[in-house]
Amino acid sequence: MGENPAKNHYAQLNQGEENEMEIFGYKTQGCRKALCIAGYILSCGALLLLFYWKPEWDVWANCIRCSLEEADVVLLRTTDDFRIYSRKTVTWISVSALIKSRSDYPATAEEDSIFSKAIMKPSLQVKSIRVQRIRYVWNICAKQFQKVGALEDHHTCSAIHAKFGSGLTCNERDVRRVICGPNTIDVPVIPIWKLLIKEVLNPFYVFQLFSVCLWFAEDYMEYATAIIIMSLLSIFLTVYDLRQQSVKLHRLVESHNNIMVTVCRNKEGFQELESHHLVPGDMLVLKEGKTLLPCDAILISGQCIVNESMLTGESIPITKTHLPQADNFKPWRMHCAEDYKKHVLFCGTEVIQTKADDGGVVKAVVLRTGFNTAKGDLVRSILYPKPMNFKLYRDALRFLMCLIAFAAIGMIYTVCVFALNGEEAGEVVKKALDVITIAVPPALPAALTTGIIYTQRRLKKKGIFCISPQRINMCGQLNLICFDKTGTLTEDGLDLWGLLPSERNCFQDIHSFPVDHSLPWGPVFRAMAVCHSLIVWEGKIQGDPLDVKMFEATNWVIDDSSGHQIEGQGSTHATVVRPGPKASSAPVEGVAILHQFPFSSALQRMSVIAQEIGGEQQVFTKGAPEVVAMLCRAETVPPNFESKLLLYTAQGFRVIGLACKSLQAKKQSTDLTREEVESDLTFLGLLIMENRLKRETKPVLEELSAARIRSVMVTGDNIQTAVTVAKNAGMISPTNRVILVEANKIPGSFSASITWKPLEENKTENYRGL
């Protein structure tokens, strides 16, 4: 839109996001409201019921269109195919008690903050609406409603460190708390009477009530009683099921709201407070030991290891690193690109280990609170499931419309016949209305509800849970199922199959596991011992299954003591690995892992800076072989690298590249950038892992194929490995031809070069297109 949204009475809410909505401004008019109240009384509540079903009609009848700036009621409309309307009342939040005079106001918040742009002068009030548990405030400058409860996206990395690194002032904290509301994910248990009223006001049950009243008037006592009993049973089962879900969800999230946290206040120092007082921009101090996070936060100093199983379902500890202090003009998310999540601690996850830099504390800036957090978003997706746009529902609606059309024809015919026969007016009306109850089965909703609840309980016995029961009917409509590879089609764990070391530009003899002798001491051994993100948690080594298998093959152990002072590294607390009881002799006491650059799916690699106790610092890198080889000096990569890689990936093995280099100890490891560390490496060799198919994979895929449901594998592994696994699983028939399609950008052009390459052959064909 080129024009001012306020003049158009219209704007976008959550523009560009998945839950984007159109928002329209309205002002309540007294005479219209009086006429509607009269209508409610004269229609015996029928008009009120209609407005309950159609909130947009309620707004159109009671209000007049106006600009969003003047509106006291807003009408929201989703931008999806359903175009669902919802009505929201505009509320006012007063901050006058916090800001004593207008001259004090600039000191309370930053000038570029949404909080300063939302406070109206001189009344010191904020205009807001609440949509699906998220609060939006009116931005006076932008003339639109904007979300609060999250740190603004425009902040750069350096701005986050500078503005929030020392904590908020007392005034800033109080203003933000009043405008954002408490940091809680509050899911109240819905009272039974509310659930009952909501269910009874369903159009189907209102139609049933109409039908039952008509049948009693015509003395259809037995049938009417049977329908009443069936409907009451259906309503009772639905309400009971909804109540149970409400109680479970309430218990699931209530622990989040009462956590004691330590924050740093500007000029006030450290304070202990309850987590519901947190606001975006607060400086959170993370202590040693297990901590449940009550908000989303950006790590700005130190390092954390977190358990994100609550969000991802995978109980592999994840390493989080602090946000770099990059001094540029890019917003922090754009600067960090796809890896911004490596700096974000998510609400509901558990911090299991912290490592501070330079003897300080581990600090994080509160990014999002309440329902804006990752956990809050998950809860909102349960509370407000997306409507389904299935062809079955559209066809069912058309079928219902056809029945209503036939009923209308029947009504007209009935009225004509009975009127010509001289029947009384009352009888004619009853007979005409009876035609509708015959054409549209009144027992249909009760039968559907009972069927869905029964199906849900059958699924529950098999360990299958469904948060949106209406979707059960749609399962028979599936024609495509996508699977992850590792841990879904294949076993969770990987077995170490072999190691192909490289020395002086040549591959050496393969070292097989576990039959061969112990690995000799050398750069490859050091890489396997330190290039990982493993930790000791509850007495066991925890981390990525690949890392666990690789480290266990060395027979070394992780020293899980509180920390180690490393010479030349200030007070860095480093993880130290040492030879275990079964390890072959090594010329070192141990190796300290000084710094870690966690695995990035975008970069397809991870690196560590390590130092032998009493020795020099070294960099070790592992990742996708093609990527690792590109980072190595060309003279260290064997000329037959590609053919060897193809040999093992074609057999379905997962292949990992290893590399290293010595590091000049001129500056601290924490000051080095990833680009500096991961360059001019020496290629060390290939680690070959075996990933077996699960026993149930092939039968399940055969069953899906027999049902004519297409199966697709989604994986980040080497394409040749994925194809081999797919063939072994029966996903690709032996007679099928596999073609690799690659698109490469042409420099200085908008078009791309597309390459079609049969995997079994070497010839290629090139086509160019947009």
Side-chain angles (χ1 to χ4, degrees):
M1 290 188 309
E3 296 179 40
N4 189 330
K7 290 180 181 177
N8 287 338
H9 325 298
Y10 156 83
Q12 298 288 118
L13 205 66
N14 303 325
Q15 194 163 9
E17 296 180 26
E18 196 176 3
N19 59 338
E20 187 178 337
M21 295 181 184
E22 294 167 333
I23 180 168
F24 306 89
Y26 287 88
K27 187 184 285 184
T28 307
Q29 197 176 44
C31 58
R32 285 189 173 215
K33 195 163 187 176
L35 286 171
C36 287
I37 291 170
Y40 301 155
I41 296 166
L42 293 172
S43 64
C44 299
L47 184 62
L48 189 63
L49 186 62
L50 186 64
F51 285 169
Y52 171 79
W53 292 335
K54 290 283 186 181
E56 65 271 29
W57 293 2
D58 180 18
V59 174
W60 295 335
N62 282 280
C63 309
I64 56 169
R65 195 77 172 268
C66 70
S67 68
L68 284 166
E69 198 165 11
E70 301 169 315
D72 59 8
V73 171
V74 294
L75 189 63
L76 300 164
R77 182 174 67 192
T78 59
T79 54
D80 55 20
D81 295 338
F82 296 94
R83 316 280 281 183
I84 297 170
Y85 285 91
S86 56
R87 177 191 187 277
K88 298 294 172 183
T89 303
V90 174
T91 56
W92 293 89
I93 303 167
S94 176
V95 294
S96 58
L98 306 173
I99 304 169
K100 303 303 178 187
S101 67
R102 289 178 63 184
S103 60
D104 290 339
Y105 172 67
T108 63
E110 309 88 348
E111 287 303 315
D112 63 346
S113 167
I114 178 64
F115 302 99
S116 62
K117 293 173 182 175
I119 299 173
M120 295 183 179
K121 303 172 190 175
S123 63
L124 298 178
Q125 287 186 309
V126 177
K127 185 178 180 179
S128 72
I129 56 171
R130 193 174 168 89
V131 182
Q132 292 185 351
R133 311 295 176 97
I134 299 288
R135 186 175 285 178
Y136 298 80
V137 298
W138 179 254
N139 186 325
I140 301 163
C141 302
K143 301 291 183 187
Q144 62 181 1
F145 282 100
Q146 290 182 349
K147 189 187 295 183
V148 289
L151 213 59
E152 291 88 344
D153 290 333
H154 63 76
H155 290 301
T156 62
C157 294
S158 56
I160 288 174
H161 282 276
K163 290 184 178 181
F164 306 108
S166 56
L168 298 173
T169 64
C170 184
N171 281 345
E172 286 172 347
R173 173 199 65 198
D174 292 340
V175 168
R176 288 173 181 235
R177 187 181 295 170
V178 169
I179 295 175
C180 295
N183 172 39
T184 57
I185 301 176
D186 188 23
V187 183
V189 177
I190 305 169
I192 291 174
W193 66 267
K194 274 192 179 180
L195 291 170
L196 196 60
I197 289 172
K198 191 176 179 181
E199 191 64 25
V200 168
L201 293 180
N202 186 298
F204 273 116
Y205 288 117
V206 172
F207 174 69
Q208 276 187 321
L209 181 64
F210 160 77
S211 302
V212 166
C213 291
L214 187 66
W215 294 334
F216 275 122
E218 294 185 328
D219 291 331
Y220 294 161
M221 296 293 183
E222 292 83 359
Y223 186 61
T225 305
I227 292 295
I228 287 172
I229 294 168
M230 193 174 179
S231 298
L232 288 174
L233 181 64
S234 171
I235 290 168
F236 170 76
L237 287 171
T238 305
V239 168
Y240 175 77
D241 200 48
L242 289 170
R243 172 76 176 188
Q244 290 293 101
Q245 288 180 20
S246 180
V247 170
K248 283 179 184 176
L249 193 58
H250 174 77
R251 288 175 182 168
L252 186 69
V253 300
E254 68 177 341
S255 60
H256 154 92
N257 302 321
N258 299 306
I259 300 170
M260 293 303 294
V261 293
T262 304
V263 296
C264 179
R265 299 294 191 202
N266 198 340
K267 299 177 182 176
E268 295 179 22
F270 297 107
Q271 293 180 1
E272 285 262 340
L273 49 81
E274 290 184 349
S275 59
H276 63 82
H277 292 303
L278 289 173
V279 296
D282 258 334
M283 221 274 286
L284 201 61
V285 178
L286 301 173
K287 296 182 179 179
E288 288 186 13
K290 291 184 182 180
T291 307
L292 192 67
L293 282 162
C295 60
D296 288 357
I298 310 170
L299 195 64
I300 61 168
S301 74
Q303 184 175 301
C304 287
I305 295 170
V306 298
N307 176 15
E308 293 187 344
S309 59
M310 192 282 294
L311 292 177
T312 63
E314 296 182 16
S315 57
I316 297 170
I318 307 294
T319 301
K320 302 286 183 174
T321 56
H322 65 79
L323 187 74
Q325 292 195 15
D327 191 13
N328 57 29
F329 299 103
K330 282 185 180 179
W332 71 277
R333 285 195 194 193
M334 288 179 65
H335 173 77
C336 299
E338 293 179 28
D339 286 331
Y340 79 92
K341 290 183 179 178
K342 291 290 181 187
H343 312 303
V344 179
L345 308 170
F346 294 104
C347 177
T349 61
E350 188 180 37
V351 177
I352 54 180
Q353 197 175 93
T354 58
K355 291 182 182 178
D357 295 332
D358 302 325
V361 291
V362 179
K363 297 186 287 189
V365 172
V366 175
L367 176 63
R368 290 179 289 255
T369 58
F371 279 96
N372 294 283
T373 62
K375 184 176 179 179
D377 199 44
L378 190 65
V379 174
R380 285 198 311 123
S381 69
I382 298 170
L383 293 172
Y384 308 101
K386 292 178 185 174
M388 295 172 291
N389 190 14
F390 284 100
K391 192 170 180 287
L392 179 66
Y393 272 168
R394 294 198 298 273
D395 289 347
L397 192 61
R398 286 175 191 144
F399 174 68
L400 201 61
M401 291 299 108
C402 289
L403 290 179
I404 291 169
F406 279 119
I409 295 167
M411 280 180 67
I412 295 166
Y413 177 76
T414 304
V415 169
C416 293
V417 169
F418 280 94
L420 290 171
N421 288 339
E423 291 281 350
E424 291 181 7
E427 284 297 315
V428 172
V429 170
K430 280 196 286 186
K431 295 294 181 186
L433 292 174
D434 197 29
V435 173
I436 299 176
T437 65
I438 295 167
V440 182
L444 182 64
L448 285 173
T449 304
T450 307
I452 288 170
I453 289 170
Y454 175 65
T455 309
Q456 194 176 11
R457 290 187 177 178
R458 284 178 60 201
L459 289 171
K460 192 175 178 181
K461 287 177 182 177
K462 295 192 174 186
I464 301 168
F465 298 88
C466 179
I467 58 172
S468 182
Q470 297 301 322
R471 282 167 166 76
I472 293 172
N473 283 338
M474 300 301 108
C475 291
Q477 301 294 305
L478 294 177
N479 52 25
L480 172 70
I481 295 181
C482 297
F483 295 97
D484 179 32
K485 182 179 81 68
T486 309
T488 304
L489 295 176
T490 61
E491 296 288 350
D492 289 323
L494 292 158
D495 291 321
L496 201 59
W497 185 83
L499 173 67
L500 189 64
S502 173
E503 287 182 20
R504 296 184 298 278
N505 198 25
C506 291
F507 281 117
Q508 306 300 303
D509 293 337
I510 192 163
H511 182 99
S512 299
F513 293 95
V515 292
D516 279 10
H517 58 277
S518 299
L519 277 171
W521 174 256
V524 177
F525 188 98
R526 289 198 292 273
M528 292 175 63
V530 300
C531 195
H532 52 72
S533 56
L534 300 175
I535 63 164
V536 175
W537 183 26
E538 296 179 347
K540 292 183 180 179
I541 294 175
Q542 302 281 347
D544 188 283
L546 183 153
D547 288 353
V548 173
K549 288 287 182 182
M550 180 185 73
F551 182 71
E552 285 177 347
T554 65
N555 289 319
W556 278 37
V557 294
I558 297 174
D559 190 340
D560 61 343
S561 55
S562 59
H564 302 270
Q565 305 293 331
I566 305 301
E567 190 178 342
Q569 291 297 310
S571 57
T572 300
H573 287 252
T575 300
V576 174
V577 292
R578 303 181 187 276
K582 297 180 181 178
S584 56
S585 61
V588 295
E589 183 189 337
V591 183
I593 302 168
L594 305 179
H595 191 68
Q596 186 185 127
F597 297 96
F599 175 78
S600 162
S601 55
L603 300 175
Q604 295 183 287
R605 62 182 182 271
M606 76 159 291
S607 298
V608 297
I609 299 173
Q611 181 179 5
E612 292 178 13
I613 294 176
E616 64 173 1
Q617 291 183 27
Q618 285 185 303
V619 172
F620 294 95
T621 299
K622 82 168 191 293
E626 309 91 331
V627 175
V628 172
M630 286 172 63
L631 299 172
C632 294
R633 288 179 286 116
E635 64 269 19
T636 66
V637 181
N640 61 338
F641 168 79
E642 289 188 5
S643 61
K644 284 286 186 182
L645 178 61
L646 183 63
L647 173 68
Y648 293 110
T649 55
Q651 297 175 59
F653 291 118
R654 185 172 179 182
V655 183
I656 307 296
L658 300 173
C660 78
K661 77 170 179 181
S662 294
L663 201 64
Q664 299 298 324
K666 290 181 180 178
K667 50 179 171 177
Q668 268 191 250
S669 56
T670 51
D671 297 331
L672 293 166
T673 64
R674 191 160 193 161
E675 290 73 21
E676 288 177 300
V677 169
E678 296 174 338
S679 61
D680 297 324
L681 300 170
T682 299
F683 186 74
L684 293 179
L686 299 173
L687 194 65
I688 302 157
M689 315 288 287
E690 188 176 21
N691 199 191
R692 298 187 183 93
L693 282 176
K694 286 182 176 178
R695 282 186 303 171
E696 57 267 32
T697 296
K698 206 164 183 179
V700 167
L701 293 178
E702 285 173 356
E703 193 175 345
L704 290 172
S705 179
R708 296 188 179 180
I709 296 173
R710 185 182 167 213
S711 302
V712 170
M713 181 198 296
V714 182
T715 180
D717 277 4
N718 180 283
I719 187 68
Q720 188 70 57
T721 303
V723 169
T724 305
V725 170
K727 284 182 175 178
N728 292 339
M731 197 176 276
I732 299 175
S733 169
T735 57
N736 286 349
R737 192 180 184 197
V738 181
I739 297 172
L740 175 64
V741 183
E742 290 182 337
N744 298 300
K745 189 178 179 181
I746 299 173
S749 172
F750 289 106
S751 58
S753 170
I754 299 177
T755 306
W756 303 76
K757 182 180 178 181
L759 283 184
E760 298 82 8
E761 300 173 19
N762 293 321
K763 63 180 182 178
T764 62
E765 299 174 30
N766 291 308
Y767 297 90
R768 289 190 179 180
L770 293 176

